[in-house]
Amino acid sequence: MEKKQENDDYSFMQEQIKKRPINRKKLFKRAFTTGAMAIMFGIVASLAFILLEPVFTKLVSPKEEKAAISLPDTTLPEEKNEVLPEDMIQDEQELEEKDKPAEKPEPVASSIQKPELEIDDYQKMYGKLASLADEVGESMVVVNGFSSDMDWFSNVYEKKSSVSGLLIADNGTDLYIASNYSFLSSATDIDVTFREGENYKGSIVSYDKATNLVIIAVPLSAVASETKENLTYASLGNSNVGNRVGDMVLAVGDPMGYSSSVSYGIITSIGTPINAVDRNYRLITTDIYGSRNAEGYLVNTKGQIIGIINQKYNNSDLSNQISAIGISELRSLIEDLSNQTARPYLGVTLSEITPQAVENGIPEGAFIRKVEMKSPAMEVGIAPGDILTGINDTEVKTAKEAEDAVRALKPEDEAQITICRATQNEYKEVTVKVTLGVKTE
């Protein structure tokens, strides 16, 4: 009874603690604000990382820029046909001798005897050719391409394709090798076998389908010091000067269809045009009988490369005769592929207009034989049969001039193209503006 009385006396001091009601709207607002700030922080941090990462990378581990590949001019002085100033001046003694009447030669008393060649003489000649081929071989390697294939029973096996390669140059970081694209187009892995027998991993830098040319790079850091010291780069000659029909040449690489084969013969024709898209080349044909799948290089008797073997452009009745694309036209292409230079793309195939056609009223310029589908040229209305007479401020009279004018531009450049189009009774001049694309292969 007393306990109950005590509780009643202090009843006014008792209170009950209630839970505070949750304001769901306010809680959601705070959570949303926190999440939004977190997202904003993440975006700012990501942008800062993207913008500052290259700067910190350069500070911590500066990356050396690769030097551009520039092929040396190996044309011999006598091939340049240069006339020196002193050669143009005649001294008094020469003029006096020129004015003197020519003396009649004395009759030859005895007939000139023709030397008779022995078998040993032929053996010596072929021995020198073999030595020359071996010398050129020092600048050659074997490029191996590996890919996976499947047989009729769904068994996967590794497929290997081997092709010769030519040591072109290095930029201090990578070693560049010119080779045959069709043999390596499906390869997933590439290695290069050097003359000493060592193998190194390689990779495709760039390629050109029209010429079947591919550039392979091998990191110099992976190459043994002894191999580096023994590297010999190919000597590139001039396929337009110093070569005549009937001159002796060597075919090295795989002209017979198997590795490290060599054959000899003579040049049968020079200068047959190869009209490719935005670029023209010259074909050198020989009397060397080889494989239809031949590849390799054509070499003159000075040991210079004057052509890269390509059987694609042979006539059907001469499919086994060794032919090559002249190295003079390929030189700039090799540089562009090695340096991964973006090449401008107009999309036209050009050929020369003969002087006889000009005499008959055809305008001077480059005749447009073909226009590539969906090319920049087609998009602005340039059509086969048009004659290209100007690019920007450059007057064009030949296909070579048109090629050089396009090559001087860059992808995405806007060019003003002047063409002459045949109407019913005359040629009408038309000017169009075209934005050049990028040549990808």
Side-chain angles (χ1 to χ4, degrees):
M1 188 71 180
E2 292 179 357
K3 190 173 181 181
K4 183 179 180 183
Q5 182 66 37
E6 184 179 351
N7 291 337
D8 292 338
D9 293 339
Y10 294 97
S11 62
F12 70 92
M13 297 180 63
Q14 294 179 359
E15 64 180 19
Q16 186 176 359
I17 301 174
K18 294 182 178 181
K19 293 183 178 180
R20 187 176 181 180
I22 298 174
N23 190 336
R24 295 181 180 276
K25 186 176 181 181
K26 193 173 182 180
L27 182 63
F28 177 77
K29 186 177 180 181
R30 287 183 179 179
F32 178 78
T33 304
T34 304
M37 292 179 67
I39 293 172
M40 288 296 295
F41 177 79
I43 293 173
V44 172
S46 300
L47 290 174
F49 177 79
I50 292 171
L51 294 174
L52 296 178
E53 189 271 339
V55 177
F56 286 114
T57 302
K58 288 182 179 180
L59 291 175
V60 176
S61 56
K63 185 179 179 181
E64 295 183 3
E65 293 186 2
K66 294 183 179 181
I69 294 296
S70 179
L71 301 179
D73 184 5
T74 54
T75 306
L76 297 179
E78 60 266 24
E79 292 178 342
K80 295 182 179 179
N81 296 327
E82 294 181 353
V83 180
L84 300 176
E86 55 267 26
D87 296 333
M88 300 174 65
I89 302 174
Q90 291 181 315
D91 55 26
E92 294 181 359
Q93 184 177 355
E94 288 178 338
L95 291 173
E96 291 177 359
E97 291 178 354
K98 187 177 180 180
D99 293 336
K100 288 182 179 179
E103 297 180 358
K104 294 182 179 181
E106 296 181 1
V108 180
S110 58
S111 61
I112 299 175
Q113 295 182 350
K114 297 181 179 179
E116 294 184 3
L117 296 177
E118 302 292 338
I119 294 178
D120 289 341
D121 296 322
Y122 284 101
Q123 187 61 44
K124 287 179 182 178
M125 181 183 70
Y126 281 107
K128 288 185 177 181
L129 290 174
S131 298
L132 183 61
D134 189 61
E135 182 181 329
V136 175
E138 293 179 0
S139 61
M140 294 177 63
V141 294
V142 176
V143 182
N144 306 300
F146 300 91
S147 60
S148 297
D149 207 341
M150 189 177 293
D151 60 19
W152 288 0
F153 303 101
S154 299
N155 297 318
V156 179
Y157 66 95
E158 187 179 65
K159 185 179 178 181
K160 178 182 178 181
S161 298
S162 296
V163 64
S164 63
L166 196 67
L167 296 175
I168 296 299
D170 73 79
N171 60 359
T173 304
D174 295 308
L175 175 65
Y176 291 92
I177 299 163
S179 191
N180 186 298
Y181 176 68
S182 61
F183 283 83
L184 304 170
S185 58
S186 60
T188 54
D189 292 296
I190 292 175
D191 70 36
V192 179
T193 304
F194 284 74
R195 197 173 175 85
E196 294 79 8
E198 298 179 347
N199 288 341
Y200 299 101
K201 287 289 183 182
S203 59
I204 292 178
V205 177
S206 193
Y207 62 89
D208 180 74
K209 284 189 175 180
T211 58
N212 206 24
L213 184 65
V214 64
I215 300 297
I216 307 295
V218 175
L220 278 173
S221 58
V223 181
S225 300
E226 185 178 351
T227 304
K228 287 182 188 177
E229 293 174 0
N230 295 327
L231 287 177
T232 302
Y233 296 111
S235 175
L236 305 184
N238 189 324
S239 56
N240 296 332
V241 179
N243 302 295
R244 300 169 301 175
V245 173
D247 282 351
M248 179 173 283
V249 287
L250 293 76
V252 298
D254 303 342
M256 300 296 117
Y258 49 87
S259 181
S260 302
S261 52
V262 180
S263 190
Y264 316 108
I266 62 170
I267 296 174
T268 54
S269 71
I270 297 176
T272 302
I274 299 173
N275 304 121
V277 178
D278 295 340
R279 210 154 187 164
N280 286 345
Y281 303 95
R282 293 186 182 183
L283 190 69
I284 302 173
T285 64
T286 73
D287 68 344
I288 301 173
Y289 190 88
S291 169
R292 293 183 182 181
N293 298 319
E295 58 83 22
Y297 313 95
L298 213 58
V299 183
N300 62 18
T301 53
K302 300 181 182 73
Q304 296 176 323
I305 306 295
I306 61 170
I308 296 182
I309 294 175
N310 191 316
Q311 303 290 78
K312 176 181 177 180
Y313 298 101
N314 277 356
N315 292 331
S316 57
D317 57 339
L318 296 173
S319 57
N320 285 87
Q321 301 303 116
I322 297 297
S323 301
I325 299 178
I327 199 66
S328 294
E329 287 75 32
L330 290 175
R331 187 187 294 268
S332 60
L333 177 62
I334 292 173
E335 290 180 349
D336 288 345
L337 294 178
S338 300
N339 296 321
Q340 293 182 285
T341 303
R343 293 176 287 159
Y345 173 59
L346 179 60
V348 294
T349 302
L350 303 173
S351 63
E352 303 291 354
I353 296 176
T354 64
Q356 292 80 6
V358 174
E359 290 177 2
N360 292 328
I362 305 296
E364 279 188 306
F367 183 76
I368 300 176
R369 297 167 57 94
K370 182 181 176 183
V371 179
E372 291 275 285
M373 292 292 294
K374 298 182 180 180
S375 65
M378 176 169 280
E379 289 177 357
V380 296
I382 297 176
D386 291 341
I387 297 174
L388 200 158
T389 59
I391 299 178
N392 291 334
D393 297 328
T394 303
E395 186 180 5
V396 170
K397 292 186 177 181
T398 65
K400 180 67 169 60
E401 291 177 355
E403 175 188 330
D404 292 340
V406 171
R407 189 169 180 267
L409 301 173
K410 296 179 180 179
E412 306 303 328
D413 280 355
E414 186 179 71
Q416 182 172 290
I417 307 294
T418 304
I419 59 174
C420 285
R421 179 167 293 169
T423 58
Q424 291 182 351
N425 300 317
E426 60 180 358
Y427 278 88
K428 181 180 179 182
E429 188 173 275
V430 179
T431 300
V432 295
K433 287 187 177 181
V434 57
T435 300
L436 299 177
V438 181
K439 189 166 181 63
T440 55
E441 56 184 34

